[in-house]
Amino acid sequence: HPDDPRLRVSACTGAPGCPQAHAPTQALALAGAHQVPPGAHLHVSGCAKGCARQAPATVTLRAETTERGPVWAVIRQGTASQVADEQLADAILQDNPGLLFVQN
């Protein structure tokens, strides 16, 4: 259906399907789909290559590894290869996916 919020998200295969991905992507993309406002786009990428979307997205999440485990780099109005605006822990995104589209 053209109003399906899943049409406002894109995600790569993610871990474990892609050896270069730092985290799973598909579940996070689906969980966030209902939070993406009309006219916006969420891209979830397991690494900096951004295979699933080369064009800028309203919000791009890029998985990164840290000593404490995976985190999500948040890039606003950009692509997975760009410098992040901030980093968020996976738990924060799982609990509050709507934070990505809240206007400050």
Side-chain angles (χ1 to χ4, degrees), residues 73-100:
V74 180
I75 301 113
R76 298 187 187 282
Q77 303 297 330
T79 65
S81 64
Q82 291 181 266
V83 174
D85 297 304
E86 63 181 311
Q87 286 184 334
L88 295 175
D90 189 61
I92 292 171
L93 288 175
Q94 293 294 339
D95 291 344
N96 302 294
L99 289 174
L100 296 171

Side-chain angles (χ1 to χ4, degrees), residues 17-100:
C18 175
Q20 295 178 346
H22 300 290
T25 57
Q26 300 285 311
L28 182 58
L30 286 174
H34 292 284
Q35 303 298 324
V36 182
H41 192 88
L42 170 65
H43 174 63
V44 183
S45 183
C47 73
K49 290 188 332 183
C51 295
R53 183 177 174 95
Q54 298 297 307
T58 310
V59 175
T60 298
L61 297 175
R62 177 184 65 229
E64 297 181 343
T65 55
T66 67
E67 292 177 2
R68 294 171 286 171
V71 296
W72 293 96
V74 180
I75 301 113
R76 298 187 187 282
Q77 303 297 330
T79 65
S81 64
Q82 291 181 266
V83 174
D85 297 304
E86 63 181 311
Q87 286 184 334
L88 295 175
D90 189 61
I92 292 171
L93 288 175
Q94 293 294 339
D95 291 344
N96 302 294
L99 289 174
L100 296 171

